[in-house]
Amino acid sequence: MPIRYRCRHCETEVGQLPLDSIDEAFLQKNNIEPEEQHIYIQTGAEGDYTIQCICEECQTSLQKFPSYYALKKWIQ
Ligand SMILES: [Zn+2]
């Protein structure tokens, strides 16, 4: 079951990792604290994982219009 990366802003699938599980090394590599795991990593019904990340496009927009994204996040 691949691990999917999905942009948390536009929900575009950014990529997949051919991994079966998430281990400590993976979390360290992605700078995710074990206690933050539930925020960034969603477990699907089939035991699949989706990592919440940010795509290049949103990253660029975020740098250009930080207030827009802050506002959007606040409304949600
Ligand atoms: Zn995006």
Side-chain angles (χ1 to χ4, degrees):
M1 191 75 69
I3 296 171
R4 285 189 289 271
Y5 278 86
R6 182 167 289 157
C7 176
R8 74 171 81 113
H9 294 287
C10 65
E11 299 197 342
T12 296
E13 192 170 304
V14 180
Q16 293 193 354
L17 273 183
L19 291 176
D20 289 326
S21 63
I22 290 173
D23 59 15
E24 224 169 279
F26 176 85
L27 295 176
Q28 276 180 6
K29 205 171 147 237
N30 286 271
N31 290 318
I32 299 172
E33 299 290 334
E35 57 267 28
E36 293 176 338
Q37 196 174 328
H38 66 283
I39 301 170
Y40 297 107
I41 302 168
Q42 294 177 336
T43 312
E46 294 165 41
D48 53 319
Y49 294 101
T50 303
I51 317 267
Q52 303 285 324
C53 64
I54 184 162
C55 71
E56 259 178 64
E57 215 171 298
C58 288
Q59 178 81 55
T60 309
S61 309
L62 195 64
Q63 282 163 354
K64 277 192 213 160
F65 313 107
S67 56
Y68 168 74
Y69 276 91
L71 188 67
K72 199 178 164 200
K73 202 177 171 186
W74 188 75
I75 290 168
Q76 281 172 345

